[in-house]
Amino acid sequence: MVIKLFWKDPYMKECYAKVTAIEGNKVWLDQTIFFAFSGGQASDKGAINNINVLEAVKQSEDEIYYVLEKEPNFAVGDNVKVDIEWDYRYKIMKLHSAAHIVYYFFIEKAGEQKVIGSNISIDKARLDFAYNESVGPLLEEIQEKTNKTIDEGIDIKMFYDEKDPTRRLWECGKWLMPCGGTHVKNTKEIGQVKLKRKNIGSGKERIEVTLV
Ligand SMILES: [Zn+2]
C-alpha cells in the first residue's frame, strides 16, 4: 500500500520514499507525492532518483506504479528521491478546483445534470454533461460567478469521509463533493478563468475551463 502524500500535503514538490518492488522499468514505492491519472486528473510529470517517469499508473485504490524511462539505478529497499514538475502540477490543481466551482454554478443554472465525463489537463479542464440544450447562453453568467467566487478567497479543504474512510471529500464554502484529486488551498490561488462551449454530439455539451 502506498501512502499518498499528495493528499496529506498537495504542495510537496519532492519527497523521499522506500522502493517496495521493481519489475523491469516499473517501480513501486512506500509513499509518494507523484499523482497517477485518476478521476479525470492527469498524472504528474517528474522523476524518481533523477530518472524520468514515463507513466504513473493507478493500479488499485491502494497502489500506484511508475514506469521509468530506463532501468532503475536502485534496488528494492533503497531510499529514493521523488520529484514532480511543480509548475505543471500547480496549474492542474488550479484547474481542478476551478472545474468544481464551474460545476456548481452550472447546476445552479441548469439544474442537476448528469456528468458524462471530466478531464483535468495542463491547459484546460473540461466538464461534459448530458444536456439537451446549448450551454452557450449560460456561460457568461457562470464565468462571472466563478471568477467572483475565486476573488472572494474561499478556503478549500480536503479530508477523509468519516462514514467511508477510503473516500476523500472536497469542501469549498457550502459545497461538498467526493474527489480524490489535488487542489489549491484557497480559491484566490486560481487567478481567473475563461469558459468555452463545445458541442460534442447530440444531447452532449462540454464546458472548457482555461486559466487566464
Ligand atoms: Zn475533483
Side-chain angles (χ1 to χ4, degrees), residues 39-99:
Q41 181 179 326
S43 291
D44 283 326
K45 287 183 187 294
I48 297 175
N49 252 17
N50 292 318
I51 303 175
N52 243 350
V53 173
L54 295 180
E55 205 188 351
V57 180
K58 183 182 169 187
Q59 190 175 15
S60 66
E61 285 310 315
D62 297 326
E63 226 36 277
I64 292 171
Y65 68 82
Y66 300 97
V67 183
L68 304 187
E69 193 177 57
K70 57 180 189 190
E71 287 247 332
N73 56 357
F74 46 80
V76 172
D78 282 357
N79 265 310
V80 290
K81 192 170 171 234
V82 184
D83 295 282
I84 57 165
E85 277 183 32
W86 175 247
D87 291 350
Y88 180 89
R89 152 71 85 72
Y90 192 43
K91 232 175 173 181
I92 287 174
M93 279 162 58
K94 291 179 189 180
L95 279 167
H96 198 155
S97 300

Short mmCIF file of all heavy atoms in Angstrom, two decimals, residues 39-99:
data_model
loop_
_atom_site.label_atom_id
_atom_site.label_comp_id
_atom_site.label_asym_id
_atom_site.label_seq_id
_atom_site.Cartn_x
_atom_site.Cartn_y
_atom_site.Cartn_z
N GLY A 39 -9.74 9.91 -11.68
CA GLY A 39 -10.83 10.87 -11.56
C GLY A 39 -10.73 11.97 -12.61
O GLY A 39 -11.17 13.09 -12.37
N GLY A 40 -10.13 11.66 -13.74
CA GLY A 40 -10.00 12.65 -14.81
C GLY A 40 -8.79 13.56 -14.67
O GLY A 40 -8.48 14.31 -15.59
N GLN A 41 -8.12 13.52 -13.53
CA GLN A 41 -6.95 14.39 -13.35
C GLN A 41 -5.69 13.74 -13.93
O GLN A 41 -5.38 12.58 -13.59
CB GLN A 41 -6.74 14.72 -11.86
CG GLN A 41 -5.54 15.67 -11.65
CD GLN A 41 -5.30 16.05 -10.20
OE1 GLN A 41 -6.23 16.19 -9.40
NE2 GLN A 41 -4.04 16.21 -9.84
N ALA A 42 -4.96 14.51 -14.73
CA ALA A 42 -3.76 13.99 -15.38
C ALA A 42 -2.69 13.60 -14.37
O ALA A 42 -2.62 14.17 -13.28
CB ALA A 42 -3.20 15.06 -16.32
N SER A 43 -1.87 12.64 -14.76
CA SER A 43 -0.71 12.26 -13.94
C SER A 43 0.27 13.41 -13.84
O SER A 43 0.33 14.26 -14.73
CB SER A 43 0.04 11.09 -14.58
OG SER A 43 -0.71 9.92 -14.55
N ASP A 44 1.06 13.39 -12.77
CA ASP A 44 2.16 14.36 -12.67
C ASP A 44 3.27 13.99 -13.64
O ASP A 44 3.30 12.89 -14.19
CB ASP A 44 2.73 14.33 -11.24
CG ASP A 44 1.83 15.09 -10.29
OD1 ASP A 44 1.23 16.09 -10.72
OD2 ASP A 44 1.75 14.69 -9.11
N LYS A 45 4.16 14.94 -13.81
CA LYS A 45 5.41 14.67 -14.53
C LYS A 45 6.53 14.79 -13.51
O LYS A 45 6.42 15.57 -12.56
CB LYS A 45 5.64 15.73 -15.61
CG LYS A 45 4.72 15.58 -16.81
CD LYS A 45 5.09 16.64 -17.84
CE LYS A 45 4.13 16.68 -18.99
NZ LYS A 45 4.15 15.48 -19.80
N GLY A 46 7.59 14.04 -13.70
CA GLY A 46 8.69 14.14 -12.76
C GLY A 46 9.64 12.98 -12.88
O GLY A 46 9.71 12.31 -13.91
N ALA A 47 10.37 12.75 -11.79
CA ALA A 47 11.44 11.76 -11.83
C ALA A 47 11.57 11.03 -10.50
O ALA A 47 11.16 11.54 -9.45
CB ALA A 47 12.76 12.45 -12.17
N ILE A 48 12.12 9.83 -10.57
CA ILE A 48 12.47 9.07 -9.37
C ILE A 48 13.98 8.83 -9.45
O ILE A 48 14.46 8.26 -10.44
CB ILE A 48 11.69 7.74 -9.29
CG1 ILE A 48 10.19 8.04 -9.18
CG2 ILE A 48 12.18 6.90 -8.11
CD1 ILE A 48 9.28 6.82 -9.21
N ASN A 49 14.69 9.32 -8.45
CA ASN A 49 16.16 9.28 -8.47
C ASN A 49 16.72 9.81 -9.78
O ASN A 49 17.62 9.21 -10.37
CB ASN A 49 16.66 7.85 -8.24
CG ASN A 49 17.27 7.71 -6.86
OD1 ASN A 49 17.04 8.54 -5.99
ND2 ASN A 49 18.05 6.67 -6.66
N ASN A 50 16.16 10.91 -10.22
CA ASN A 50 16.59 11.59 -11.46
C ASN A 50 16.33 10.81 -12.74
O ASN A 50 16.81 11.19 -13.80
CB ASN A 50 18.08 11.98 -11.40
CG ASN A 50 18.30 13.06 -10.37
OD1 ASN A 50 17.50 14.00 -10.26
ND2 ASN A 50 19.34 12.92 -9.58
N ILE A 51 15.59 9.71 -12.65
CA ILE A 51 15.20 9.01 -13.88
C ILE A 51 13.76 9.41 -14.19
O ILE A 51 12.87 9.29 -13.34
CB ILE A 51 15.29 7.47 -13.73
CG1 ILE A 51 16.70 7.06 -13.31
CG2 ILE A 51 14.89 6.79 -15.05
CD1 ILE A 51 16.85 5.58 -13.03
N ASN A 52 13.57 9.89 -15.40
CA ASN A 52 12.26 10.36 -15.83
C ASN A 52 11.17 9.30 -15.69
O ASN A 52 11.39 8.15 -16.04
CB ASN A 52 12.35 10.71 -17.31
CG ASN A 52 12.09 12.17 -17.52
OD1 ASN A 52 11.67 12.88 -16.60
ND2 ASN A 52 12.33 12.62 -18.73
N VAL A 53 10.02 9.73 -15.20
CA VAL A 53 8.87 8.83 -15.14
C VAL A 53 8.08 9.00 -16.44
O VAL A 53 7.68 10.11 -16.77
CB VAL A 53 7.98 9.15 -13.92
CG1 VAL A 53 6.70 8.33 -13.96
CG2 VAL A 53 8.73 8.91 -12.63
N LEU A 54 7.89 7.92 -17.17
CA LEU A 54 7.13 7.99 -18.43
C LEU A 54 5.64 7.92 -18.16
O LEU A 54 4.83 8.54 -18.83
CB LEU A 54 7.51 6.84 -19.36
CG LEU A 54 8.94 6.79 -19.89
CD1 LEU A 54 9.13 5.57 -20.79
CD2 LEU A 54 9.26 8.07 -20.66
N GLU A 55 5.29 7.12 -17.17
CA GLU A 55 3.87 6.91 -16.89
C GLU A 55 3.69 6.59 -15.40
O GLU A 55 4.46 5.81 -14.83
CB GLU A 55 3.38 5.74 -17.74
CG GLU A 55 1.90 5.77 -18.01
CD GLU A 55 1.39 4.50 -18.69
OE1 GLU A 55 2.22 3.67 -19.12
OE2 GLU A 55 0.16 4.34 -18.76
N ALA A 56 2.65 7.20 -14.81
CA ALA A 56 2.26 6.86 -13.44
C ALA A 56 0.91 6.17 -13.54
O ALA A 56 -0.01 6.70 -14.15
CB ALA A 56 2.14 8.11 -12.60
N VAL A 57 0.79 4.97 -12.98
CA VAL A 57 -0.43 4.19 -13.16
C VAL A 57 -1.07 3.86 -11.82
O VAL A 57 -0.43 3.31 -10.92
CB VAL A 57 -0.12 2.86 -13.91
CG1 VAL A 57 -1.40 2.04 -14.10
CG2 VAL A 57 0.53 3.14 -15.25
N LYS A 58 -2.34 4.21 -11.70
CA LYS A 58 -3.11 3.82 -10.51
C LYS A 58 -3.52 2.37 -10.72
O LYS A 58 -4.42 2.07 -11.50
CB LYS A 58 -4.33 4.73 -10.37
CG LYS A 58 -5.14 4.46 -9.13
CD LYS A 58 -6.36 5.36 -9.07
CE LYS A 58 -7.32 4.92 -7.99
NZ LYS A 58 -8.57 5.67 -8.01
N GLN A 59 -2.87 1.49 -10.00
CA GLN A 59 -3.09 0.05 -10.18
C GLN A 59 -4.36 -0.39 -9.46
O GLN A 59 -5.10 -1.25 -9.92
CB GLN A 59 -1.87 -0.67 -9.61
CG GLN A 59 -1.81 -2.13 -9.91
CD GLN A 59 -0.49 -2.72 -9.40
OE1 GLN A 59 0.23 -2.11 -8.61
NE2 GLN A 59 -0.18 -3.91 -9.86
N SER A 60 -4.57 0.19 -8.28
CA SER A 60 -5.76 -0.10 -7.47
C SER A 60 -5.96 1.12 -6.57
O SER A 60 -5.20 2.08 -6.66
CB SER A 60 -5.54 -1.35 -6.63
OG SER A 60 -4.53 -1.10 -5.68
N GLU A 61 -6.94 1.05 -5.68
CA GLU A 61 -7.16 2.17 -4.77
C GLU A 61 -5.93 2.43 -3.90
O GLU A 61 -5.67 3.55 -3.49
CB GLU A 61 -8.37 1.90 -3.86
CG GLU A 61 -9.72 2.03 -4.56
CD GLU A 61 -9.90 3.34 -5.34
OE1 GLU A 61 -9.55 4.41 -4.82
OE2 GLU A 61 -10.38 3.29 -6.49
N ASP A 62 -5.17 1.38 -3.64
CA ASP A 62 -4.05 1.48 -2.69
C ASP A 62 -2.68 1.46 -3.34
O ASP A 62 -1.67 1.59 -2.66
CB ASP A 62 -4.08 0.30 -1.70
CG ASP A 62 -5.32 0.32 -0.85
OD1 ASP A 62 -5.79 1.42 -0.53
OD2 ASP A 62 -5.82 -0.77 -0.53
N GLU A 63 -2.62 1.24 -4.63
CA GLU A 63 -1.31 1.03 -5.26
C GLU A 63 -1.13 1.87 -6.51
O GLU A 63 -2.05 2.03 -7.32
CB GLU A 63 -1.19 -0.46 -5.59
CG GLU A 63 0.10 -1.17 -5.23
CD GLU A 63 0.80 -0.76 -3.95
OE1 GLU A 63 1.56 0.23 -3.99
OE2 GLU A 63 0.66 -1.45 -2.92
N ILE A 64 0.08 2.41 -6.63
CA ILE A 64 0.46 3.16 -7.83
C ILE A 64 1.81 2.59 -8.27
O ILE A 64 2.65 2.28 -7.43
CB ILE A 64 0.65 4.67 -7.50
CG1 ILE A 64 -0.70 5.33 -7.14
CG2 ILE A 64 1.31 5.42 -8.66
CD1 ILE A 64 -0.58 6.75 -6.60
N TYR A 65 2.00 2.43 -9.58
CA TYR A 65 3.37 2.13 -10.01
C TYR A 65 3.81 3.13 -11.05
O TYR A 65 3.00 3.80 -11.70
CB TYR A 65 3.54 0.67 -10.47
CG TYR A 65 2.83 0.29 -11.75
CD1 TYR A 65 3.39 0.58 -13.00
CD2 TYR A 65 1.62 -0.39 -11.72
CE1 TYR A 65 2.74 0.21 -14.18
CE2 TYR A 65 0.96 -0.75 -12.88
CZ TYR A 65 1.54 -0.44 -14.11
OH TYR A 65 0.90 -0.80 -15.27
N TYR A 66 5.13 3.24 -11.18
CA TYR A 66 5.74 4.23 -12.08
C TYR A 66 6.57 3.51 -13.13
O TYR A 66 7.35 2.63 -12.79
CB TYR A 66 6.60 5.20 -11.27
CG TYR A 66 5.78 5.93 -10.25
CD1 TYR A 66 5.74 5.49 -8.92
CD2 TYR A 66 4.99 7.01 -10.60
CE1 TYR A 66 4.95 6.13 -7.98
CE2 TYR A 66 4.20 7.66 -9.68
CZ TYR A 66 4.18 7.22 -8.36
OH TYR A 66 3.38 7.85 -7.44
N VAL A 67 6.38 3.91 -14.38
CA VAL A 67 7.18 3.33 -15.46
C VAL A 67 8.30 4.33 -15.76
O VAL A 67 8.06 5.47 -16.14
CB VAL A 67 6.33 3.10 -16.73
CG1 VAL A 67 7.17 2.44 -17.82
CG2 VAL A 67 5.09 2.27 -16.41
N LEU A 68 9.53 3.87 -15.55
CA LEU A 68 10.68 4.75 -15.74
C LEU A 68 11.18 4.66 -17.18
O LEU A 68 10.96 3.68 -17.89
CB LEU A 68 11.82 4.38 -14.79
CG LEU A 68 11.51 4.37 -13.29
CD1 LEU A 68 12.79 4.14 -12.50
CD2 LEU A 68 10.85 5.67 -12.85
N GLU A 69 11.89 5.72 -17.56
CA GLU A 69 12.44 5.83 -18.90
C GLU A 69 13.52 4.77 -19.14
O GLU A 69 13.75 4.35 -20.27
CB GLU A 69 13.05 7.22 -19.01
CG GLU A 69 13.43 7.71 -20.34
CD GLU A 69 13.94 9.15 -20.19
OE1 GLU A 69 14.89 9.39 -19.42
OE2 GLU A 69 13.35 10.02 -20.82
N LYS A 70 14.21 4.38 -18.09
CA LYS A 70 15.22 3.32 -18.22
C LYS A 70 15.25 2.48 -16.95
O LYS A 70 14.59 2.80 -15.97
CB LYS A 70 16.58 3.95 -18.51
CG LYS A 70 17.04 4.94 -17.47
CD LYS A 70 18.40 5.52 -17.82
CE LYS A 70 18.88 6.34 -16.64
NZ LYS A 70 20.04 7.15 -16.85
N GLU A 71 16.02 1.41 -16.99
CA GLU A 71 16.13 0.51 -15.82
C GLU A 71 16.56 1.29 -14.59
O GLU A 71 17.46 2.13 -14.67
CB GLU A 71 17.18 -0.57 -16.11
CG GLU A 71 16.72 -1.61 -17.10
CD GLU A 71 16.55 -2.99 -16.47
OE1 GLU A 71 17.25 -3.29 -15.49
OE2 GLU A 71 15.70 -3.74 -16.97
N PRO A 72 15.93 1.03 -13.45
CA PRO A 72 16.31 1.78 -12.25
C PRO A 72 17.76 1.55 -11.83
O PRO A 72 18.30 0.47 -12.03
CB PRO A 72 15.36 1.24 -11.19
CG PRO A 72 14.49 0.24 -11.81
CD PRO A 72 14.82 0.11 -13.24
N ASN A 73 18.35 2.62 -11.27
CA ASN A 73 19.72 2.53 -10.76
C ASN A 73 19.69 2.30 -9.25
O ASN A 73 20.56 2.73 -8.52
CB ASN A 73 20.49 3.81 -11.09
CG ASN A 73 19.79 5.06 -10.57
OD1 ASN A 73 18.69 4.99 -10.01
ND2 ASN A 73 20.40 6.21 -10.75
N PHE A 74 18.62 1.66 -8.78
CA PHE A 74 18.44 1.41 -7.35
C PHE A 74 17.74 0.07 -7.18
O PHE A 74 17.30 -0.53 -8.16
CB PHE A 74 17.63 2.54 -6.70
CG PHE A 74 16.39 2.94 -7.48
CD1 PHE A 74 15.23 2.19 -7.38
CD2 PHE A 74 16.39 4.04 -8.32
CE1 PHE A 74 14.09 2.53 -8.10
CE2 PHE A 74 15.26 4.39 -9.04
CZ PHE A 74 14.11 3.64 -8.93
N ALA A 75 17.68 -0.39 -5.93
CA ALA A 75 17.13 -1.72 -5.66
C ALA A 75 15.99 -1.63 -4.65
O ALA A 75 15.79 -0.59 -4.01
CB ALA A 75 18.23 -2.62 -5.11
N VAL A 76 15.25 -2.71 -4.52
CA VAL A 76 14.17 -2.77 -3.52
C VAL A 76 14.78 -2.51 -2.14
O VAL A 76 15.84 -3.05 -1.82
CB VAL A 76 13.48 -4.15 -3.58
CG1 VAL A 76 12.48 -4.31 -2.42
CG2 VAL A 76 12.76 -4.33 -4.91
N GLY A 77 14.11 -1.67 -1.36
CA GLY A 77 14.61 -1.34 -0.02
C GLY A 77 15.39 -0.04 0.00
O GLY A 77 15.58 0.55 1.06
N ASP A 78 15.84 0.43 -1.17
CA ASP A 78 16.59 1.69 -1.22
C ASP A 78 15.68 2.89 -0.98
O ASP A 78 14.48 2.84 -1.27
CB ASP A 78 17.24 1.87 -2.61
CG ASP A 78 18.49 1.03 -2.79
OD1 ASP A 78 18.89 0.34 -1.82
OD2 ASP A 78 19.06 1.04 -3.90
N ASN A 79 16.30 3.95 -0.50
CA ASN A 79 15.59 5.22 -0.39
C ASN A 79 15.85 6.02 -1.66
O ASN A 79 16.99 6.16 -2.07
CB ASN A 79 16.11 6.01 0.81
CG ASN A 79 15.24 5.77 2.02
OD1 ASN A 79 14.02 5.88 1.96
ND2 ASN A 79 15.86 5.41 3.12
N VAL A 80 14.78 6.52 -2.25
CA VAL A 80 14.94 7.28 -3.49
C VAL A 80 14.26 8.63 -3.37
O VAL A 80 13.38 8.83 -2.52
CB VAL A 80 14.33 6.52 -4.71
CG1 VAL A 80 15.15 5.29 -5.05
CG2 VAL A 80 12.87 6.16 -4.46
N LYS A 81 14.68 9.54 -4.22
CA LYS A 81 14.09 10.88 -4.22
C LYS A 81 13.03 10.96 -5.32
O LYS A 81 13.28 10.53 -6.45
CB LYS A 81 15.18 11.92 -4.45
CG LYS A 81 14.72 13.32 -4.17
CD LYS A 81 15.90 14.27 -4.19
CE LYS A 81 15.41 15.70 -4.12
NZ LYS A 81 15.94 16.52 -5.21
N VAL A 82 11.90 11.49 -4.96
CA VAL A 82 10.81 11.65 -5.93
C VAL A 82 10.59 13.15 -6.15
O VAL A 82 10.38 13.89 -5.20
CB VAL A 82 9.50 11.02 -5.40
CG1 VAL A 82 8.40 11.09 -6.45
CG2 VAL A 82 9.73 9.58 -4.95
N ASP A 83 10.69 13.57 -7.40
CA ASP A 83 10.44 14.99 -7.74
C ASP A 83 9.27 15.10 -8.69
O ASP A 83 9.13 14.27 -9.58
CB ASP A 83 11.63 15.56 -8.55
CG ASP A 83 12.90 15.61 -7.75
OD1 ASP A 83 13.01 16.52 -6.94
OD2 ASP A 83 13.76 14.72 -7.96
N ILE A 84 8.50 16.15 -8.52
CA ILE A 84 7.47 16.41 -9.53
C ILE A 84 7.69 17.80 -10.13
O ILE A 84 8.28 18.68 -9.49
CB ILE A 84 6.03 16.29 -8.99
CG1 ILE A 84 5.80 17.22 -7.80
CG2 ILE A 84 5.69 14.86 -8.66
CD1 ILE A 84 4.33 17.42 -7.45
N GLU A 85 7.22 17.95 -11.36
CA GLU A 85 7.28 19.27 -12.02
C GLU A 85 6.20 20.14 -11.40
O GLU A 85 5.01 19.97 -11.68
CB GLU A 85 7.04 19.14 -13.52
CG GLU A 85 8.28 18.76 -14.29
CD GLU A 85 8.02 18.72 -15.78
OE1 GLU A 85 7.18 19.49 -16.30
OE2 GLU A 85 8.67 17.88 -16.44
N TRP A 86 6.64 21.03 -10.53
CA TRP A 86 5.68 21.77 -9.73
C TRP A 86 4.78 22.70 -10.54
O TRP A 86 3.57 22.77 -10.30
CB TRP A 86 6.40 22.54 -8.60
CG TRP A 86 5.44 23.38 -7.85
CD1 TRP A 86 5.39 24.73 -7.80
CD2 TRP A 86 4.32 22.91 -7.07
NE1 TRP A 86 4.32 25.14 -7.04
CE2 TRP A 86 3.65 24.04 -6.59
CE3 TRP A 86 3.83 21.65 -6.76
CZ2 TRP A 86 2.51 23.95 -5.79
CZ3 TRP A 86 2.68 21.55 -5.97
CH2 TRP A 86 2.04 22.70 -5.49
N ASP A 87 5.33 23.41 -11.50
CA ASP A 87 4.50 24.35 -12.29
C ASP A 87 3.36 23.61 -12.97
O ASP A 87 2.23 24.10 -13.05
CB ASP A 87 5.35 25.05 -13.36
CG ASP A 87 6.33 26.01 -12.74
OD1 ASP A 87 6.20 26.26 -11.52
OD2 ASP A 87 7.22 26.51 -13.45
N TYR A 88 3.70 22.45 -13.48
CA TYR A 88 2.72 21.60 -14.16
C TYR A 88 1.62 21.18 -13.19
O TYR A 88 0.43 21.35 -13.45
CB TYR A 88 3.49 20.39 -14.73
CG TYR A 88 2.67 19.39 -15.47
CD1 TYR A 88 2.44 19.52 -16.84
CD2 TYR A 88 2.14 18.28 -14.81
CE1 TYR A 88 1.69 18.57 -17.52
CE2 TYR A 88 1.39 17.33 -15.49
CZ TYR A 88 1.18 17.48 -16.84
OH TYR A 88 0.44 16.56 -17.52
N ARG A 89 2.03 20.64 -12.05
CA ARG A 89 1.05 20.17 -11.06
C ARG A 89 0.19 21.32 -10.52
O ARG A 89 -1.02 21.20 -10.34
CB ARG A 89 1.78 19.46 -9.94
CG ARG A 89 1.04 19.55 -8.61
CD ARG A 89 -0.22 18.71 -8.57
NE ARG A 89 0.18 17.39 -8.20
CZ ARG A 89 0.57 17.09 -6.96
NH1 ARG A 89 0.54 18.00 -6.02
NH2 ARG A 89 0.95 15.89 -6.68
N TYR A 90 0.83 22.47 -10.26
CA TYR A 90 0.11 23.57 -9.65
C TYR A 90 -0.99 24.08 -10.59
O TYR A 90 -2.10 24.39 -10.16
CB TYR A 90 1.09 24.69 -9.30
CG TYR A 90 0.53 25.77 -8.41
CD1 TYR A 90 -0.27 25.45 -7.31
CD2 TYR A 90 0.82 27.11 -8.65
CE1 TYR A 90 -0.77 26.45 -6.49
CE2 TYR A 90 0.31 28.11 -7.83
CZ TYR A 90 -0.48 27.77 -6.75
OH TYR A 90 -0.99 28.76 -5.95
N LYS A 91 -0.71 24.13 -11.86
CA LYS A 91 -1.69 24.53 -12.86
C LYS A 91 -2.88 23.56 -12.86
O LYS A 91 -4.04 23.96 -12.93
CB LYS A 91 -1.04 24.54 -14.24
CG LYS A 91 -1.25 25.85 -14.96
CD LYS A 91 -0.49 25.86 -16.26
CE LYS A 91 -0.85 27.11 -17.03
NZ LYS A 91 -0.15 27.16 -18.31
N ILE A 92 -2.56 22.29 -12.77
CA ILE A 92 -3.62 21.27 -12.73
C ILE A 92 -4.46 21.43 -11.47
O ILE A 92 -5.69 21.32 -11.50
CB ILE A 92 -2.99 19.85 -12.85
CG1 ILE A 92 -2.51 19.64 -14.29
CG2 ILE A 92 -3.98 18.77 -12.43
CD1 ILE A 92 -1.75 18.35 -14.52
N MET A 93 -3.81 21.73 -10.35
CA MET A 93 -4.56 21.96 -9.10
C MET A 93 -5.53 23.13 -9.24
O MET A 93 -6.68 23.07 -8.79
CB MET A 93 -3.59 22.22 -7.93
CG MET A 93 -3.01 20.93 -7.36
SD MET A 93 -1.50 21.12 -6.35
CE MET A 93 -2.00 22.22 -5.07
N LYS A 94 -5.05 24.20 -9.85
CA LYS A 94 -5.91 25.38 -10.05
C LYS A 94 -7.10 25.03 -10.94
O LYS A 94 -8.25 25.39 -10.64
CB LYS A 94 -5.10 26.51 -10.73
CG LYS A 94 -4.04 27.12 -9.87
CD LYS A 94 -3.32 28.19 -10.69
CE LYS A 94 -2.09 28.71 -9.97
NZ LYS A 94 -1.41 29.73 -10.76
N LEU A 95 -6.82 24.33 -12.04
CA LEU A 95 -7.89 23.98 -12.99
C LEU A 95 -8.88 23.00 -12.38
O LEU A 95 -10.08 23.08 -12.63
CB LEU A 95 -7.29 23.40 -14.27
CG LEU A 95 -6.78 24.43 -15.27
CD1 LEU A 95 -5.93 23.76 -16.34
CD2 LEU A 95 -7.92 25.20 -15.92
N HIS A 96 -8.37 22.09 -11.55
CA HIS A 96 -9.28 21.12 -10.94
C HIS A 96 -10.23 21.82 -9.95
O HIS A 96 -11.44 21.60 -9.99
CB HIS A 96 -8.46 20.02 -10.23
CG HIS A 96 -9.26 18.79 -9.95
ND1 HIS A 96 -8.71 17.55 -9.79
CD2 HIS A 96 -10.60 18.61 -9.77
CE1 HIS A 96 -9.67 16.67 -9.54
NE2 HIS A 96 -10.82 17.29 -9.51
N SER A 97 -9.67 22.70 -9.13
CA SER A 97 -10.52 23.44 -8.19
C SER A 97 -11.53 24.30 -8.96
O SER A 97 -12.72 24.37 -8.60
CB SER A 97 -9.67 24.33 -7.29
OG SER A 97 -8.76 23.55 -6.56
N ALA A 98 -11.07 24.95 -10.02
CA ALA A 98 -11.95 25.80 -10.83
C ALA A 98 -13.08 24.98 -11.45
O ALA A 98 -14.24 25.41 -11.47
CB ALA A 98 -11.14 26.50 -11.92
N ALA A 99 -12.75 23.78 -11.91
CA ALA A 99 -13.77 22.93 -12.56
C ALA A 99 -14.89 22.60 -11.59
O ALA A 99 -16.07 22.58 -11.96
CB ALA A 99 -13.12 21.66 -13.09
#
